[in-house]
């Protein structure tokens, strides 16, 4: 590797995230945003708000996070 790119390569390895981590972060962000707007939380609304579109492979992950997370227990009036 080029000696000048060692620091750049190290930074990129540290700063990047895999697709699963990205999706989880976006889903949790979307849920918090919808809750702050007093919206009912549905997997479809989370999917759209997170920017995954209407047909997404992220849907099962969204449902899993909604079932396992504090979002159900903490403020169940929002979760549908």
């Amino acid at each position: 590797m080029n000696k000048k790119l060692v620091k750049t390569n190290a930074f990129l390895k540290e700063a990047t995230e895999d697709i699963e981590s990205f999706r989880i972060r976006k889903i949790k962000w979307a849920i918090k945003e919808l809750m702050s707007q007093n919206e009912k939380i549905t997997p479809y609304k989370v999917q759209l708000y997170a920017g995954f579109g209407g047909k997404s492979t992220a849907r099962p992950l969204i449902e899993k996070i909604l079932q396992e997370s504090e979002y159900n227990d903490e403020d169940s009036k929002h979760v549908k």
Side-chain angles (χ1 to χ4, degrees):
M1 179 181 293
N2 187 329
K3 289 181 181 182
K4 293 182 179 181
L5 297 178
V6 172
K7 288 182 181 179
T8 301
N9 191 37
F11 173 77
L12 288 175
K13 283 184 180 179
E14 185 178 315
T16 56
E17 64 184 337
D18 60 78
I19 189 70
E20 188 81 1
S21 298
F22 170 76
R23 286 179 174 171
I24 291 169
R25 183 170 54 83
K26 287 285 286 187
I27 290 166
K28 289 181 176 181
W29 168 82
I31 292 169
K32 287 179 183 177
E33 288 291 312
L34 290 168
M35 286 177 69
S36 73
Q37 298 171 14
N38 292 319
E39 291 280 338
K40 287 206 181 273
I41 308 294
T42 66
Y44 185 71
K45 280 187 179 180
V46 173
Q47 182 176 319
L48 292 180
Y49 203 86
F52 296 130
K55 292 185 178 181
S56 173
T57 57
R59 182 67 175 260
L61 183 58
I62 294 168
E63 291 171 351
K64 180 181 175 188
I65 289 171
L66 285 172
Q67 288 175 356
E68 294 177 349
S69 70
E70 71 275 4
Y71 306 110
N72 274 331
D73 301 330
E74 193 176 278
D75 206 353
S76 59
K77 69 180 181 180
H78 293 291
V79 180
K80 185 175 179 185

